[in-house]
């Protein structure tokens, strides 16, 4: 009892966090390179498939929230979809086994279509599993606290976000190392099966541990198909308002009040709260459109840079470790130092203001990425553009050689080399090695991480705090849906812009986010915060008064019976 989390609660919350670390050991760090080097897709197609997968991972939370709140409950939903998640990771590991179709043992798959089919199957299962449990995990953790433990719940969400990034850090550090190993039966290849297989095994172990702690968790039972009821309530309100659009019918305070003829006041009030927050989410996908390019464009940017850190050679996909490392450092610092200092300065740094600052910082991170790309472009060799060809001919003879091409092309005279002594070995560097160091990516990662700390952690807590008691997972799914839309924006903008220079694409994304940030700031200014518990308590009180008024004798007898007990 009291206002602090009990020792037993600390034990099972620690168990939850331990499991959550493993839940997020998803090998996305190597995914874009797997597409490029194993499946032989080009940069643009690899990027498109990567963001399609991420978008799918954040579309499926709607399904997970629906199952949790309406049917199985959060605990059973987490368990069942985690099994799907594990199977998907195992299928990905199998799909990356080169020797499976390498019948002639030449080191290349003979039937790449089989590997592509298995890869897509595995990614769909992973997206269904990881997406389905995302809204349930955070909401399930929040359920472990009582109503009066707001401070502890807020601290939990910060620690929860740390655990996610601990899992991401493990994945980003370990999976590139596993990928860099050589494995294979007939020919040695980069070991993608190990990079995908180890997370699958860890996920299976984590699932067993999570189930073992079942008796210690507080499990909120599902309260019916609430999402369907919400959609029906909205639909009826719109239809009823359309039927009574004549001026002879009096206006109502809110358009959802037109559903009062069929639906109870409590559901209408809860739906109002959810829609108010969801409307505020409309500009947020632009943040994720920039943020998730760490795993695609920024990783591909790192492939054109020098990863020599002295005794360590950093792989391009390992540069993503900068983000979770900084998160683990910065979340406690911001939570324990920065926010209290801001509060002491009497600055009202509300959740929506934090989110606005996060969006602005993400835009600055892409400005930094564009400046870095300009420097990288100066060191890259010039390759022929679309519709052009490049031919290099070395003349080892002592006289001029004349080369004739197709009629559309001019004749070319090739001059002899100054030295034709082929017994003398000369080193000629045709393409210079990457000279811009990967460490120059750290500033853009640092700025983006600052943006993430004030944006994402705040968003999780805000979504939970503004949600009615029976719609926690629904609003968490709405928050995650913004991530899915953000990745779809990447596909649309990158495909429609047709920009030949990568730095220009970075600037375009930054400009779009700055514009959206201004729109969100205006929307946030007019937003009024709501306490769902207070609203629901007020509705309960009104319902009680209504019952007393309708049947005072029955209520009096009930009160007398309670007092005797």
């Amino acid at each position: 009892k009291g206002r602090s989390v009990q020792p037993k609660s600390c034990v099972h919350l620690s168990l939850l966090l331990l499991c959550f670390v493993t839940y997020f050991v998803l090998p996305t760090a190597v995914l874009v390179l797997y597409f490029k080097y194993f499946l032989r897709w080009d940069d643009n197609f690899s990027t498109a498939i990567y963001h399609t997968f991420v978008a799918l991972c954040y579309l499926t939370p709607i399904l997970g929230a629906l199952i949790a709140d309406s049917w199985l409950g959060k605990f059973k939903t987490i368990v069942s979809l985690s099994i799907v998640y594990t199977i998907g990771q195992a299928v990905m590991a199998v799909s990356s086994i080169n020797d499976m179709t390498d019948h002639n043992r030449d080191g290349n798959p003979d039937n790449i279509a089989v590997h592509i089919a298995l890869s897509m199957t595995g990614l769909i299962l992973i997206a269904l599993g990881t997406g389905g449990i995302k809204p349930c995990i955070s909401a399930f953790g929040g359920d472990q606290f009582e109503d009066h433990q707001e401070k502890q719940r807020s601290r939990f969400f910060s620690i929860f976000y740390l655990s996610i990034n601990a899992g991401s850090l493990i994945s980003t550090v370990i999976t590139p190392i596993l990928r860099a190993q050589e494995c294979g039966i007939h020919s040695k290849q980069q070991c993608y099966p190990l990079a995908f297989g180890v997370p699958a095994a860890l996920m299976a172990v984590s699932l067993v541990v999570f189930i073992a702690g079942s008796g210690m968790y507080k499990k909120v039972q599902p309260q019916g198909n609430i999402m369907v009821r919400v959609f029906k309530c909205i639909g009826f309100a719109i239809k009823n308002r359309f039927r009574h659009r004549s001026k002879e019918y009096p206006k109502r305070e809110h358009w959802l009040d037109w559903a009062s003829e069929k639906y109870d006041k409590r559901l209408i009030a809860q739906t109002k709260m959810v829609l108010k927050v969801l409307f505020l989410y409309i500009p947020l996908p632009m943040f994720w459109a920039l943020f998730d390019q760490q795993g695609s464009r920024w990783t591909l940017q790192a492939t054109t840079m020098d990863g020599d850190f002295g005794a360590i050679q950093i792989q391009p996909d390992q540069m993503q470790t900068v983000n979770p490392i900084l998160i683990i450092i910065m979340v406690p610092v911001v939570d324990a130092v920065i926010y209290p200092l801001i509060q002491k300065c009497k600055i009202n740094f509300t959740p929506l203001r934090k989110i606005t600052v996060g969006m602005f910082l993400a835009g600055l991170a892409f400005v930094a990425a564009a400046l870095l790309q300009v420097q990288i472009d100066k060191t890259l060799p010039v390759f022929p553009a679309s519709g052009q060809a490049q031919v290099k001919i070395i003349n080892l003879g002592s006289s001029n050689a004349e080369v004739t091409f197709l009629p559309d092309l001019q004749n070319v005279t090739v001059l002899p080399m100054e030295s034709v002594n082929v017994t003398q070995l000369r080193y000629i560097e045709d393409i210079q090695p990457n000279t811009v160091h990967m460490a120059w990516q750290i500033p853009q990662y640092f700025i983006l991480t600052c943006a993430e700390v004030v944006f994402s952690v705040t968003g999780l807590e805000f979504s939970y705090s503004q949600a009615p008691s029976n719609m926690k997972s629904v609003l968490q799914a709405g928050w995650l849906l913004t991530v899915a839309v953000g990745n779809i924006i990447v596909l649309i903008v990158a495909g429609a812009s047709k920009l030949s220079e990568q730095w220009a694409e970075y600037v375009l994304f930054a400009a779009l986010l700055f514009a959206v940030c201004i729109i969100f700031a205006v929307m946030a200014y007019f937003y009024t915060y709501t306490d769902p518990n207070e609203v629901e308590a007020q509705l309960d009180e009104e319902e009680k008064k209504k019952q007393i008024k309708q049947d005072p004798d029955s209520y009096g007898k009930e009160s007398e019976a309670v007092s005797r007990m």
Side-chain angles (χ1 to χ4, degrees), residues 33 41 121 126 236 275 302 314:
L33 299 184
W41 293 340
T121 302
I126 290 173
F236 181 80
L275 289 182
I314 297 295

Side-chain angles (χ1 to χ4, degrees), residues 59-82 84 125 127-137 139-140 220-228 231 470-475 477:
L59 283 172
T60 49
I62 298 174
L63 178 62
L66 184 62
I67 294 172
D69 286 348
S70 308
W71 181 27
L72 293 180
K74 298 183 189 72
F75 178 79
K76 290 182 180 179
T77 301
I78 292 172
V79 171
S80 57
L81 291 180
S82 293
V84 175
L125 291 175
L128 179 63
T130 187
I133 65 177
K134 281 181 187 296
C136 303
I137 285 179
F140 185 72
V220 178
Q221 294 301 313
Q223 301 181 26
N225 204 334
I226 188 64
M227 191 176 290
V228 173
F231 281 125
N470 59 342
M471 298 185 191
K472 301 293 186 184
S473 294
V474 172
L475 208 48

Side-chain angles (χ1 to χ4, degrees), residues 265-335:
K265 194 174 182 180
R266 185 185 186 89
L267 178 64
I268 294 173
Q270 291 172 331
T271 305
K272 286 179 184 178
M273 287 187 278
V274 169
L275 289 182
K276 187 170 73 168
V277 178
L278 290 178
F279 176 74
L280 198 64
Y281 285 173
I282 292 175
L284 301 188
M286 201 64 225
F287 172 88
W288 299 112
L290 278 69
F291 180 83
D292 281 333
Q293 290 189 56
Q294 291 178 89
S296 57
R297 291 302 194 197
W298 284 16
T299 299
L300 293 173
Q301 184 186 58
T303 63
T304 62
M305 302 176 74
D306 180 14
D308 185 8
F309 281 78
I312 303 173
Q313 182 67 33
I314 297 295
Q315 300 295 322
D317 40 352
Q318 285 181 316
M319 275 305 293
Q320 295 178 52
T321 58
V322 174
N323 175 253
I325 289 172
L326 289 174
I327 281 288
I328 292 171
I329 295 171
M330 292 176 62
V331 167
V333 171
V334 170
D335 195 38

Side-chain angles (χ1 to χ4, degrees), residues 283-553:
L284 301 188
M286 201 64 225
F287 172 88
W288 299 112
L290 278 69
F291 180 83
D292 281 333
Q293 290 189 56
Q294 291 178 89
S296 57
R297 291 302 194 197
W298 284 16
T299 299
L300 293 173
Q301 184 186 58
T303 63
T304 62
M305 302 176 74
D306 180 14
D308 185 8
F309 281 78
I312 303 173
Q313 182 67 33
I314 297 295
Q315 300 295 322
D317 40 352
Q318 285 181 316
M319 275 305 293
Q320 295 178 52
T321 58
V322 174
N323 175 253
I325 289 172
L326 289 174
I327 281 288
I328 292 171
I329 295 171
M330 292 176 62
V331 167
V333 171
V334 170
D335 195 38
V337 179
I338 304 299
Y339 286 161
L341 282 176
I342 292 175
Q343 191 174 9
K344 283 185 177 180
C345 294
K346 300 188 183 303
I347 298 174
N348 187 18
F349 202 30
T350 62
L352 295 182
R353 288 178 181 174
K354 294 176 185 177
I355 292 174
T356 305
V357 170
M359 296 174 76
F360 179 76
L361 290 174
L364 289 182
F366 263 63
V367 171
L371 294 174
L372 178 60
Q373 189 64 48
V374 170
Q375 298 304 314
I376 293 172
D377 290 345
K378 294 177 181 178
T379 67
L380 296 178
V382 179
F383 294 109
S386 177
Q388 297 178 340
Q390 187 179 73
V391 178
K392 290 185 178 181
I393 300 172
I394 300 176
N395 180 13
L396 298 178
S398 58
S399 60
N400 292 353
E402 187 173 301
V403 180
T404 303
F405 294 95
L406 295 174
D408 294 340
L409 300 176
Q410 297 178 352
N411 292 346
V412 177
T413 298
V414 184
L415 299 176
M417 294 180 65
E418 294 181 3
S419 173
V420 292
N421 183 6
V422 294
T423 61
Q424 179 184 357
L425 298 178
R426 298 174 61 195
Y427 174 76
I428 299 175
E429 194 175 70
D430 189 34
I431 298 178
Q432 294 182 351
N434 300 329
T435 55
V436 179
H437 203 276
M438 283 186 193
W440 285 106
Q441 276 196 324
I442 293 177
Q444 66 199 53
Y445 272 103
F446 175 76
I447 299 171
L448 193 64
T449 302
C450 292
E452 182 184 3
V453 170
V454 295
F455 182 94
S456 194
V457 177
T458 306
L460 284 172
E461 183 186 349
F462 178 79
S463 298
Y464 189 92
S465 67
Q466 296 295 292
S469 59
N470 59 342
M471 298 185 191
K472 301 293 186 184
S473 294
V474 172
L475 208 48
Q476 290 290 330
W479 170 259
L480 296 171
L481 183 62
T482 63
V483 184
V485 178
N487 282 269
I488 294 172
I489 290 173
V490 176
L491 300 176
I492 295 172
V493 174
S497 64
K498 302 297 182 182
L499 296 172
S500 58
E501 301 292 342
Q502 184 58 54
W503 67 264
E505 185 179 289
Y506 288 147
V507 171
L508 174 62
F509 275 106
L512 289 173
L513 184 56
F514 286 142
V516 169
C517 182
I518 295 172
I519 295 172
F520 180 80
V522 174
M523 294 172 65
Y525 179 79
F526 292 100
Y527 182 85
T528 53
Y529 291 86
T530 305
D531 184 351
N533 294 328
E534 185 177 321
V535 173
E536 290 173 346
Q538 186 177 358
L539 290 169
D540 290 339
E541 185 66 26
E542 290 178 3
E543 184 65 26
K544 186 185 295 184
K545 290 179 179 178
K546 184 179 178 181
Q547 290 177 355
I548 295 173
K549 188 175 181 180
Q550 291 177 347
D551 192 0
D553 294 335

